[in-house]
Every structure is written in structure tokens, then in C-alpha cells.
Coordinates of all heavy atoms in Angstrom, one line a residue:
M1 N 0.9 -1.2 0.0 CA 0.0 0.0 0.0 C 0.9 1.2 0.1 O 0.6 2.3 -0.6 CB -0.9 0.0 1.3 CG -1.8 1.2 1.4 SD -3.3 1.1 0.3 CE -3.9 2.7 0.5
G2 N 2.0 1.2 0.7 CA 2.8 2.4 0.7 C 2.6 3.4 1.9 O 1.6 3.1 2.7
T3 N 3.5 4.3 2.1 CA 3.2 5.2 3.3 C 2.2 6.3 2.9 O 1.8 6.5 1.7 CB 4.5 5.8 3.6 OG1 4.8 6.7 2.5 CG2 5.7 4.9 3.7
K4 N 1.9 7.0 4.0 CA 0.9 8.2 3.7 C 1.4 9.3 2.9 O 0.8 9.9 2.2 CB 0.5 8.6 5.1 CG -0.4 7.5 5.8 CD -0.9 8.0 7.1 CE -1.7 7.0 7.8 NZ -2.2 7.2 9.0
Q5 N 2.8 9.4 3.0 CA 3.5 10.5 2.2 C 3.4 9.9 0.7 O 3.3 10.8 -0.1 CB 5.0 10.6 2.6 CG 5.6 11.6 1.8 CD 5.0 13.1 1.9 OE1 4.7 13.4 3.0 NE2 5.0 13.8 0.9
D6 N 3.4 8.8 0.5 CA 3.4 8.3 -0.9 C 2.0 8.6 -1.6 O 1.9 8.9 -2.7 CB 3.5 6.7 -0.9 CG 4.9 6.2 -0.6 OD1 5.8 7.1 -0.7 OD2 5.0 5.0 -0.3
V7 N 1.0 8.5 -0.7 CA -0.4 8.9 -1.2 C -0.4 10.3 -1.7 O -0.9 10.7 -2.7 CB -1.5 8.6 -0.2 CG1 -2.7 9.3 -0.5 CG2 -1.6 7.3 0.1
I8 N 0.2 11.2 -0.9 CA 0.2 12.6 -1.2 C 1.0 12.9 -2.5 O 0.7 13.6 -3.4 CB 0.7 13.5 0.0 CG1 -0.4 13.3 1.1 CG2 0.9 14.9 -0.4 CD1 0.2 13.8 2.5
S9 N 2.2 12.3 -2.4 CA 3.0 12.5 -3.7 C 2.5 11.9 -4.9 O 2.5 12.5 -5.9 CB 4.5 11.7 -3.3 OG 5.1 12.3 -2.3
R10 N 1.9 10.7 -4.8 CA 1.2 10.2 -6.1 C 0.0 11.2 -6.5 O -0.2 11.3 -7.7 CB 0.7 8.8 -5.8 CG 1.8 7.8 -5.7 CD 1.3 6.4 -5.7 NE 0.1 6.0 -5.3 CZ -0.4 5.6 -4.0 NH1 0.6 5.4 -3.1 NH2 -1.5 5.2 -3.7
A11 N -0.7 11.7 -5.6 CA -1.9 12.6 -5.9 C -1.2 13.8 -6.6 O -1.9 14.3 -7.6 CB -2.7 12.9 -4.6
E12 N -0.2 14.5 -6.0 CA 0.4 15.6 -6.5 C 0.9 15.3 -8.0 O 0.7 16.2 -8.8 CB 1.5 16.1 -5.8 CG 1.2 16.6 -4.4 CD 2.3 16.9 -3.5 OE1 3.3 16.4 -3.5 OE2 2.1 17.7 -2.5
M13 N 1.3 14.1 -8.3 CA 1.6 13.8 -9.8 C 0.4 13.9 -10.7 O 0.7 14.1 -11.9 CB 2.5 12.4 -9.8 CG 3.8 12.6 -9.1 SD 4.8 11.1 -9.4 CE 3.8 9.7 -8.9
C14 N -0.8 13.7 -10.2 CA -1.9 13.8 -11.0 C -2.4 15.1 -11.4 O -3.0 15.4 -12.3 CB -3.1 13.0 -10.3 SG -2.9 11.3 -10.0
W15 N -2.1 16.0 -10.5 CA -2.7 17.4 -10.6 C -1.9 18.1 -11.8 O -0.8 18.1 -12.1 CB -2.3 18.2 -9.3 CG -3.0 17.5 -8.1 CD1 -4.0 16.6 -8.1 CD2 -2.7 17.6 -6.8 NE1 -4.2 16.2 -6.8 CE2 -3.5 16.8 -6.0 CE3 -1.8 18.5 -6.2 CZ2 -3.4 16.6 -4.6 CZ3 -1.8 18.5 -4.7 CH2 -2.5 17.6 -3.9
G16 N -2.8 18.9 -12.5 CA -2.4 19.5 -13.7 C -2.4 18.8 -15.1 O -1.9 19.4 -16.0
I17 N -2.7 17.4 -14.9 CA -2.5 16.6 -16.0 C -3.9 16.5 -16.7 O -4.9 16.3 -15.8 CB -2.0 15.3 -15.8 CG1 -0.6 15.4 -15.3 CG2 -1.9 14.3 -17.0 CD1 0.0 14.1 -14.7
P18 N -4.3 16.8 -17.9 CA -5.5 16.6 -18.4 C -6.1 15.3 -18.1 O -5.5 14.2 -18.1 CB -5.4 16.9 -19.8 CG -4.2 17.8 -20.0 CD -3.4 17.3 -18.8
Q19 N -7.4 15.1 -17.7 CA -8.0 13.9 -17.3 C -7.8 12.8 -18.3 O -7.6 11.5 -18.0 CB -9.6 14.1 -17.1 CG -10.4 12.9 -16.4 CD -9.8 12.7 -14.9 OE1 -9.4 13.6 -14.5 NE2 -10.2 11.5 -14.6
S20 N -7.6 13.1 -19.7 CA -7.6 12.2 -20.7 C -6.2 11.5 -20.7 O -6.1 10.5 -21.3 CB -7.9 12.9 -22.1 OG -7.0 13.8 -22.3
E21 N -5.3 12.1 -20.1 CA -3.9 11.7 -20.0 C -3.5 10.9 -18.8 O -2.4 10.4 -18.7 CB -2.9 12.9 -20.2 CG -3.0 13.6 -21.5 CD -2.2 14.9 -21.7 OE1 -1.1 14.9 -20.9 OE2 -2.5 15.7 -22.6
H22 N -4.4 10.9 -17.9 CA -4.2 10.1 -16.6 C -3.9 8.7 -17.0 O -4.6 8.1 -17.7 CB -5.3 10.4 -15.7 CG -5.3 11.5 -14.9 ND1 -4.4 11.9 -14.0 CD2 -6.1 12.5 -14.9 CE1 -4.6 13.2 -13.5 NE2 -5.6 13.5 -14.2
H23 N -3.0 8.0 -16.4 CA -2.9 6.6 -16.5 C -3.9 6.1 -15.6 O -4.1 6.5 -14.4 CB -1.4 6.3 -15.9 CG -0.2 6.8 -16.6 ND1 0.0 6.4 -17.9 CD2 0.5 7.9 -16.4 CE1 1.0 7.1 -18.4 NE2 1.4 8.0 -17.4
R24 N -4.6 5.2 -16.1 CA -5.8 4.5 -15.4 C -5.4 3.6 -14.3 O -6.3 3.1 -13.7 CB -6.6 3.8 -16.5 CG -7.2 4.6 -17.6 CD -7.9 6.0 -17.3 NE -8.6 6.1 -16.0 CZ -9.0 7.2 -15.5 NH1 -8.8 8.3 -16.1 NH2 -9.6 7.2 -14.3
S25 N -4.1 3.5 -14.0 CA -3.8 2.5 -12.9 C -4.2 3.0 -11.7 O -4.5 2.4 -10.7 CB -2.3 2.3 -12.8 OG -1.6 3.5 -12.7
E26 N -4.4 4.3 -11.6 CA -4.9 5.1 -10.2 C -6.0 6.1 -10.7 O -5.7 6.8 -11.6 CB -3.7 5.6 -9.5 CG -2.8 4.6 -9.0 CD -1.8 5.4 -8.1 OE1 -0.9 6.1 -8.5 OE2 -1.9 5.0 -6.8
D27 N -7.0 6.1 -9.9 CA -8.0 7.1 -10.1 C -7.6 8.4 -9.4 O -7.4 8.4 -8.3 CB -9.4 6.5 -9.6 CG -10.4 7.6 -9.8 OD1 -10.6 8.2 -10.8 OD2 -11.2 7.7 -8.8
A28 N -7.4 9.5 -10.2 CA -7.0 10.7 -9.7 C -7.9 11.3 -8.5 O -7.4 11.8 -7.5 CB -6.8 11.8 -10.9
V29 N -9.2 11.1 -8.7 CA -10.1 11.6 -7.7 C -10.0 10.9 -6.5 O -9.7 11.4 -5.3 CB -11.5 11.7 -8.1 CG1 -12.5 11.8 -7.0 CG2 -11.7 12.5 -9.4
A30 N -9.9 9.6 -6.6 CA -9.8 8.7 -5.3 C -8.4 9.0 -4.6 O -8.4 9.1 -3.5 CB -9.9 7.3 -5.7
L31 N -7.4 9.1 -5.4 CA -6.1 9.2 -4.8 C -6.0 10.7 -4.1 O -5.5 10.8 -3.1 CB -5.1 9.2 -5.9 CG -3.6 9.0 -5.6 CD1 -3.3 7.9 -4.7 CD2 -2.8 8.9 -6.9
T32 N -6.6 11.7 -4.8 CA -6.6 13.0 -4.3 C -7.4 13.1 -3.0 O -7.2 13.8 -2.0 CB -7.1 14.1 -5.3 OG1 -6.3 14.1 -6.4 CG2 -7.1 15.5 -4.7
E33 N -8.6 12.4 -3.0 CA -9.3 12.2 -1.7 C -8.6 11.7 -0.6 O -8.7 12.0 0.5 CB -10.7 11.4 -2.0 CG -11.8 12.2 -2.7 CD -12.9 11.5 -3.3 OE1 -12.7 10.1 -3.4 OE2 -14.0 12.0 -3.4
Q34 N -7.8 10.6 -0.7 CA -6.9 10.1 0.2 C -5.9 11.0 0.7 O -5.7 11.1 1.9 CB -6.3 8.8 -0.4 CG -7.2 7.6 -0.7 CD -6.4 6.5 -1.4 OE1 -5.1 6.5 -1.5 NE2 -7.2 5.6 -1.9
A35 N -5.3 11.7 -0.3 CA -4.3 12.8 0.1 C -5.0 13.9 1.0 O -4.4 14.3 1.9 CB -3.7 13.4 -1.1
V36 N -6.2 14.3 0.5 CA -6.9 15.3 1.3 C -7.2 14.8 2.8 O -6.9 15.5 3.9 CB -8.3 15.6 0.8 CG1 -9.1 16.5 1.7 CG2 -8.0 16.5 -0.6
A37 N -7.6 13.5 3.0 CA -7.8 12.9 4.2 C -6.5 12.9 5.0 O -6.5 13.3 6.3 CB -8.2 11.5 4.2
E38 N -5.4 12.6 4.5 CA -4.2 12.6 5.3 C -3.7 14.0 5.5 O -3.3 14.2 6.8 CB -3.0 11.9 4.4 CG -1.7 11.9 4.9 CD -1.5 11.4 6.4 OE1 -2.4 10.6 6.8 OE2 -0.5 11.8 6.9
L39 N -3.9 15.0 4.7 CA -3.4 16.3 4.9 C -4.4 17.0 6.1 O -3.9 17.7 6.9 CB -3.5 17.1 3.8 CG -2.3 16.9 2.7 CD1 -2.6 17.3 1.4 CD2 -1.1 17.2 3.3
K40 N -5.7 16.5 6.1 CA -6.5 17.0 7.1 C -6.1 16.3 8.5 O -6.1 17.3 9.4 CB -8.0 16.5 6.9 CG -8.7 17.3 5.9 CD -10.1 16.9 5.7 CE -10.9 17.8 4.7 NZ -12.2 17.4 4.5
R41 N -5.7 15.1 8.5 CA -5.2 14.5 9.7 C -4.1 15.3 10.3 O -3.8 15.7 11.4 CB -4.8 13.1 9.5 CG -4.5 12.4 10.7 CD -3.8 11.1 10.5 NE -2.5 11.1 9.7 CZ -1.4 11.5 10.2 NH1 -1.3 11.8 11.5 NH2 -0.3 11.6 9.6
R42 N -3.0 15.7 9.3 CA -1.8 16.3 9.7 C -2.2 17.8 10.4 O -1.5 18.2 11.2 CB -0.8 16.5 8.5 CG -0.2 15.2 8.2 CD 0.6 15.4 7.0 NE 1.2 14.1 6.5 CZ 2.1 13.9 5.5 NH1 2.6 15.0 4.9 NH2 2.4 12.7 5.2
A43 N -3.1 18.4 9.5 CA -3.5 19.8 10.0 C -4.2 19.8 11.3 O -3.8 20.6 12.1 CB -4.5 20.4 9.0
E44 N -4.9 18.7 11.7 CA -5.6 18.6 13.0 C -4.5 18.2 14.1 O -4.6 18.8 15.1 CB -6.6 17.5 12.9 CG -7.8 17.9 12.2 CD -8.7 16.6 12.0 OE1 -8.5 15.7 12.5 OE2 -9.9 17.0 11.2
E45 N -3.5 17.4 13.7 CA -2.5 17.2 14.7 C -1.6 18.3 15.0 O -0.9 18.4 16.2 CB -1.7 15.9 14.3 CG -2.5 14.6 14.3 CD -1.6 13.5 13.7 OE1 -0.6 13.8 13.3 OE2 -2.1 12.5 13.8
D46 N -1.5 19.2 14.1 CA -0.4 20.2 14.2 C -1.1 21.7 13.6 O -0.9 22.1 12.7 CB 0.8 20.0 13.5 CG 2.0 21.0 13.7 OD1 1.8 21.7 14.7 OD2 2.9 20.9 13.0
P47 N -2.1 22.1 14.5 CA -3.1 23.3 13.9 C -2.3 24.5 13.7 O -2.7 25.4 12.9 CB -4.0 23.3 15.1 CG -3.4 22.7 16.3 CD -2.5 21.7 15.8
G48 N -1.1 24.8 14.3 CA -0.4 25.9 14.1 C 0.7 25.9 12.8 O 1.1 27.0 12.5
N49 N 0.6 24.9 12.1 CA 1.6 24.7 11.0 C 0.9 25.2 9.8 O 0.1 24.4 9.1 CB 2.0 23.2 11.0 CG 3.1 23.1 10.0 OD1 3.3 23.8 9.0 ND2 3.9 22.0 10.2
A50 N 1.3 26.3 9.3 CA 0.7 27.0 8.0 C 0.9 26.1 6.8 O 0.1 26.0 5.9 CB 1.2 28.4 7.9
A51 N 2.1 25.4 6.8 CA 2.5 24.5 5.6 C 1.4 23.5 5.5 O 1.0 23.1 4.3 CB 3.8 23.8 5.9
H52 N 0.9 22.8 6.5 CA -0.2 21.9 6.4 C -1.4 22.5 5.8 O -2.1 21.8 4.9 CB -0.5 21.3 7.8 CG 0.6 20.4 8.4 ND1 1.4 19.5 7.6 CD2 1.1 20.3 9.6 CE1 2.3 19.0 8.4 NE2 2.2 19.4 9.6
D53 N -1.8 23.5 6.3 CA -3.0 24.3 5.7 C -2.8 24.6 4.3 O -3.7 24.4 3.6 CB -3.4 25.5 6.6 CG -3.9 25.2 8.0 OD1 -4.4 24.1 8.2 OD2 -3.9 26.1 8.8
Q54 N -1.6 25.1 4.0 CA -1.4 25.5 2.6 C -1.5 24.2 1.7 O -2.1 24.3 0.6 CB 0.0 26.2 2.5 CG 0.2 26.7 1.1 CD 1.5 27.4 0.9 OE1 2.4 27.2 1.9 NE2 1.6 28.3 0.0
R55 N -0.9 23.2 2.0 CA -0.9 22.1 1.2 C -2.4 21.3 1.1 O -2.7 20.9 0.1 CB 0.0 21.0 1.7 CG 1.5 21.2 1.5 CD 2.4 20.1 1.8 NE 2.4 19.1 0.9 CZ 2.9 17.9 1.1 NH1 3.5 17.5 2.2 NH2 2.9 17.1 0.1
L56 N -3.1 21.4 2.3 CA -4.4 21.0 2.2 C -5.4 21.8 1.3 O -6.1 21.4 0.6 CB -5.1 21.0 3.7 CG -6.4 20.7 3.8 CD1 -6.8 19.3 3.3 CD2 -6.9 20.7 5.3
S57 N -5.1 23.1 1.4 CA -6.0 24.1 0.5 C -5.6 23.7 -0.9 O -6.6 23.7 -1.8 CB -5.6 25.5 0.8 OG -6.3 26.2 0.0
W58 N -4.4 23.6 -1.2 CA -4.0 23.1 -2.7 C -4.6 22.0 -3.2 O -5.1 21.7 -4.2 CB -2.5 23.2 -2.7 CG -1.8 23.0 -4.1 CD1 -1.3 21.8 -4.5 CD2 -2.0 23.9 -5.2 NE1 -1.1 22.0 -5.8 CE2 -1.3 23.2 -6.3 CE3 -2.5 25.2 -5.4 CZ2 -1.2 23.9 -7.5 CZ3 -2.4 25.8 -6.6 CH2 -1.8 25.1 -7.7
A59 N -4.6 21.0 -2.2 CA -5.2 19.6 -2.5 C -6.6 19.8 -2.8 O -7.1 19.1 -3.7 CB -4.7 18.6 -1.4
L60 N -7.3 20.5 -1.9 CA -8.8 20.7 -2.1 C -9.0 21.3 -3.4 O -10.1 21.0 -4.1 CB -9.4 21.4 -0.9 CG -9.5 20.7 0.3 CD1 -9.7 21.7 1.5 CD2 -10.6 19.6 0.2
I61 N -8.2 22.3 -3.8 CA -8.6 22.9 -5.2 C -8.3 22.0 -6.3 O -9.1 22.0 -7.3 CB -7.5 24.2 -5.4 CG1 -8.0 25.3 -4.5 CG2 -7.4 24.7 -6.8 CD1 -9.4 25.9 -4.7
N62 N -7.3 21.1 -6.2 CA -7.1 20.2 -7.2 C -8.3 19.2 -7.3 O -8.6 18.7 -8.3 CB -5.8 19.5 -7.0 CG -4.6 20.5 -7.7 OD1 -4.4 20.6 -8.8 ND2 -4.0 21.1 -6.7
L63 N -8.7 18.8 -6.0 CA -9.9 17.8 -6.0 C -11.0 18.6 -6.8 O -11.9 17.9 -7.5 CB -10.1 17.5 -4.6 CG -11.4 16.5 -4.3 CD1 -11.1 15.4 -5.0 CD2 -11.5 16.4 -2.8
A64 N -11.2 19.8 -6.3 CA -12.4 20.4 -7.1 C -12.3 20.4 -8.5 O -13.3 20.2 -9.1 CB -12.4 21.9 -6.5
Q65 N -11.1 20.6 -9.1 CA -11.0 20.6 -10.5 C -11.1 19.3 -11.0 O -11.9 19.1 -12.2 CB -9.5 21.1 -10.9 CG -9.3 22.6 -10.6 CD -7.8 23.0 -10.8 OE1 -7.0 22.3 -10.6 NE2 -7.6 24.2 -11.0
L66 N -10.7 18.3 -10.5 CA -10.9 16.9 -10.8 C -12.4 16.6 -11.0 O -12.9 15.8 -11.8 CB -10.1 15.9 -10.1 CG -8.6 16.0 -10.2 CD1 -7.8 15.2 -9.0 CD2 -8.1 15.4 -11.5
L67 N -13.1 16.9 -9.8 CA -14.5 16.7 -9.7 C -15.3 17.5 -10.7 O -16.2 16.8 -11.4 CB -15.0 16.9 -8.2 CG -14.5 15.9 -7.2 CD1 -14.8 16.6 -5.7 CD2 -15.0 14.6 -7.4
S68 N -14.9 18.5 -11.0 CA -15.6 19.4 -12.0 C -15.5 18.7 -13.2 O -16.4 18.8 -14.1 CB -15.0 20.9 -12.0 OG -15.8 21.6 -12.9
A69 N -14.3 18.3 -13.7 CA -14.1 17.6 -15.0 C -15.0 16.4 -15.1 O -15.4 15.9 -16.3 CB -12.6 17.2 -15.1
Q70 N -15.3 15.8 -14.0 CA -16.2 14.7 -14.0 C -17.8 15.0 -13.9 O -18.7 14.1 -13.6 CB -15.8 13.6 -12.9 CG -14.5 12.9 -13.2 CD -14.2 11.9 -12.2 OE1 -14.8 11.7 -11.2 NE2 -13.0 11.2 -12.4
H71 N -18.0 16.4 -13.9 CA -19.3 16.9 -13.8 C -19.9 16.6 -12.5 O -21.2 16.4 -12.3 CB -20.3 16.4 -14.9 CG -19.6 16.6 -16.2 ND1 -19.6 18.0 -16.8 CD2 -19.1 15.8 -17.1 CE1 -19.0 17.9 -18.0 NE2 -18.6 16.7 -18.3
E72 N -19.2 16.5 -11.4 CA -19.6 16.3 -10.0 C -19.6 17.6 -9.3 O -18.7 18.0 -8.4 CB -18.8 15.3 -9.3 CG -19.0 13.9 -9.8 CD -18.3 12.9 -8.9 OE1 -18.5 13.0 -7.6 OE2 -17.7 11.9 -9.6
H73 N -20.3 18.6 -9.9 CA -20.3 20.0 -9.5 C -20.6 20.4 -8.0 O -19.9 21.2 -7.4 CB -21.1 20.8 -10.5 CG -20.7 20.7 -11.9 ND1 -19.4 21.2 -12.3 CD2 -21.4 20.2 -12.8 CE1 -19.3 20.9 -13.7 NE2 -20.6 20.3 -14.0
A74 N -21.5 19.7 -7.4 CA -21.8 19.9 -6.0 C -20.6 19.5 -5.1 O -20.2 20.3 -4.2 CB -23.0 19.2 -5.6
R75 N -20.0 18.4 -5.4 CA -18.8 18.1 -4.6 C -17.6 18.9 -4.9 O -16.8 19.2 -4.1 CB -18.4 16.5 -5.0 CG -19.4 15.5 -4.3 CD -19.0 14.1 -4.6 NE -17.7 13.7 -4.1 CZ -16.8 12.9 -4.6 NH1 -17.3 12.1 -5.7 NH2 -15.7 12.6 -4.0
A76 N -17.4 19.4 -6.1 CA -16.4 20.3 -6.6 C -16.6 21.7 -5.8 O -15.5 22.2 -5.3 CB -16.4 20.5 -8.0
D77 N -17.7 22.1 -5.9 CA -18.1 23.4 -5.0 C -17.7 23.4 -3.5 O -17.1 24.1 -3.0 CB -19.6 23.7 -5.2 CG -20.0 24.3 -6.6 OD1 -19.0 24.5 -7.4 OD2 -21.2 24.4 -6.9
A78 N -18.1 22.1 -2.9 CA -17.7 21.9 -1.6 C -16.3 21.9 -1.3 O -15.9 22.5 -0.3 CB -18.5 20.7 -1.1
A79 N -15.5 21.2 -2.2 CA -14.1 21.2 -2.0 C -13.4 22.6 -2.2 O -12.6 23.0 -1.3 CB -13.5 20.3 -3.0
A80 N -13.9 23.3 -3.1 CA -13.4 24.7 -3.4 C -13.8 25.6 -2.2 O -12.9 26.4 -1.8 CB -14.1 25.2 -4.6
L81 N -15.0 25.5 -1.7 CA -15.3 26.3 -0.6 C -14.6 26.1 0.6 O -14.2 26.9 1.5 CB -16.8 26.3 -0.3 CG -17.8 26.9 -1.4 CD1 -19.2 26.6 -1.0 CD2 -17.5 28.4 -1.3
E82 N -14.3 24.7 1.0 CA -13.5 24.5 2.0 C -12.0 24.9 1.8 O -11.4 25.4 2.7 CB -13.3 22.8 2.2 CG -12.6 22.4 3.4 CD -12.7 20.8 3.6 OE1 -13.5 20.1 2.8 OE2 -12.2 20.4 4.5
S83 N -11.5 24.9 0.7 CA -10.2 25.5 0.4 C -10.1 27.0 0.7 O -9.3 27.4 1.3 CB -9.7 25.3 -1.1 OG -8.5 25.9 -1.3
V84 N -11.1 27.7 0.2 CA -11.3 29.1 0.5 C -11.4 29.4 2.0 O -10.8 30.3 2.5 CB -12.5 29.8 -0.2 CG1 -12.8 31.2 0.2 CG2 -12.2 29.8 -1.7
T85 N -12.1 28.6 2.8 CA -12.3 28.8 4.1 C -10.9 28.7 4.9 O -10.5 29.4 5.8 CB -13.2 27.7 4.7 OG1 -14.5 28.0 4.1 CG2 -13.3 27.9 6.4
I86 N -10.0 27.7 4.4 CA -8.7 27.5 4.9 C -7.8 28.8 4.5 O -7.1 29.3 5.5 CB -8.1 26.2 4.3 CG1 -8.9 24.9 5.0 CG2 -6.5 26.0 4.8 CD1 -8.5 23.6 4.3
M87 N -8.0 29.2 3.3 CA -7.1 30.4 3.0 C -7.5 31.5 3.8 O -6.5 32.3 4.3 CB -7.2 30.6 1.5 CG -6.5 29.6 0.6 SD -6.5 30.0 -1.1 CE -8.1 29.5 -1.6
R88 N -8.7 31.8 4.0 CA -9.2 33.0 4.8 C -8.7 32.8 6.2 O -8.2 33.8 6.8 CB -10.7 33.0 4.8 CG -11.1 33.6 3.5 CD -12.7 33.7 3.6 NE -13.2 34.3 2.3 CZ -14.4 34.2 2.0 NH1 -15.4 33.5 2.6 NH2 -14.8 34.9 0.9
R89 N -8.6 31.6 6.7 CA -8.2 31.4 8.1 C -6.7 31.7 8.2 O -6.2 32.3 9.2 CB -8.5 30.0 8.7 CG -8.2 29.7 10.0 CD -8.5 28.3 10.6 NE -7.8 27.3 9.8 CZ -8.2 26.4 9.1 NH1 -9.6 26.1 9.2 NH2 -7.6 25.4 8.4
M90 N -5.9 31.3 7.2 CA -4.6 31.6 7.1 C -4.2 32.9 7.0 O -3.4 33.5 7.6 CB -3.9 30.8 5.9 CG -3.9 29.2 6.1 SD -3.3 28.3 4.6 CE -2.1 29.4 3.7
L91 N -4.9 33.8 6.3 CA -4.7 35.2 6.0 C -5.1 36.1 7.4 O -4.6 37.0 7.6 CB -5.6 35.7 4.9 CG -5.1 35.2 3.5 CD1 -6.1 35.7 2.4 CD2 -3.8 35.8 3.2
A92 N -6.0 35.4 8.1 CA -6.5 36.1 9.3 C -5.3 35.9 10.5 O -5.4 36.6 11.4 CB -7.8 35.5 9.7
R93 N -4.5 35.0 10.3 CA -3.4 34.9 11.3 C -2.5 36.0 11.4 O -2.1 36.6 10.6 CB -2.6 33.5 11.0 CG -3.4 32.3 11.3 CD -2.6 31.3 11.0 NE -3.4 29.9 11.1 CZ -3.0 28.8 10.7 NH1 -1.9 28.6 10.0 NH2 -3.8 27.8 10.7

């Protein structure tokens, strides 16, 4: 299965690649959802660490883009809004 860092690294490799060019060995949405879950865990464990929040926000934006490409607009909107909430919280610090 690999380490949790591997999940994040594999997800990051999917981002910015057109959906038609993804290797089908891994589903980019599922992989990004796993990365988001791991980044949320890290942010909860270390709430003062801005790096975790920044990476989580970035992952959520990429998840929103992937979901939008699959016409899952409600889920894409939710991920994008969650990212904006995190960015606002970071700016308020």
C-alpha cells in the first residue's frame, strides 16, 4: 500500500494533467481524496503549522478541478469552498 506520504506524492503527480492523459492505474479523484484525508489529519495534529494548511488548501482546489471535470459540481463546489475557508483562516493569522 505504501506510506501516507506516498499517497500525497502520487496525488500531486496527477494534478495539472488533463483527465484524458491520466494513467488509469490510479483514479486521480480517489487518490486526491486520500491525500486530502491525510493532509486534514496532519493539520488537525499540528494546527499551528501553516504548511499543512497550505498543502491541504492546494489539494482541495485540485480535488475540485478533478471533480468538476467529471461533472460532479456539487462536490467540486464543496471542496473549493473548504479551500477558501482554509485560505481565509490563514490570512487572518
Side-chain angles (χ1 to χ4, degrees):
M1 176 82 192
T3 67
K4 292 176 181 179
Q5 183 62 41
D6 290 342
V7 170
I8 296 167
S9 296
R10 288 191 336 260
E12 288 173 340
M13 290 188 306
C14 295
W15 302 341
I17 300 170
Q19 190 70 19
S20 61
E21 295 178 23
H22 281 291
H23 299 287
R24 298 310 333 167
S25 62
E26 293 187 292
D27 178 42
V29 171
L31 195 54
T32 302
E33 288 173 330
Q34 291 172 12
V36 164
E38 173 58 17
L39 290 166
K40 283 182 178 182
R41 185 193 64 75
R42 290 180 185 185
E44 288 172 3
E45 287 180 353
D46 191 9
N49 189 330
H52 294 318
D53 286 340
Q54 185 176 22
R55 287 185 80 192
L56 175 56
S57 179
W58 184 250
L60 286 163
I61 288 298
N62 282 284
L63 178 59
Q65 291 174 332
L66 291 167
L67 290 168
S68 181
Q70 293 184 354
H71 305 288
E72 294 189 41
H73 300 298
R75 289 180 61 206
D77 288 349
L81 289 173
E82 187 175 354
S83 176
V84 169
T85 299
I86 292 166
M87 285 188 280
R88 284 182 174 156
R89 185 178 63 232
M90 286 173 33
L91 291 171
R93 289 185 188 158

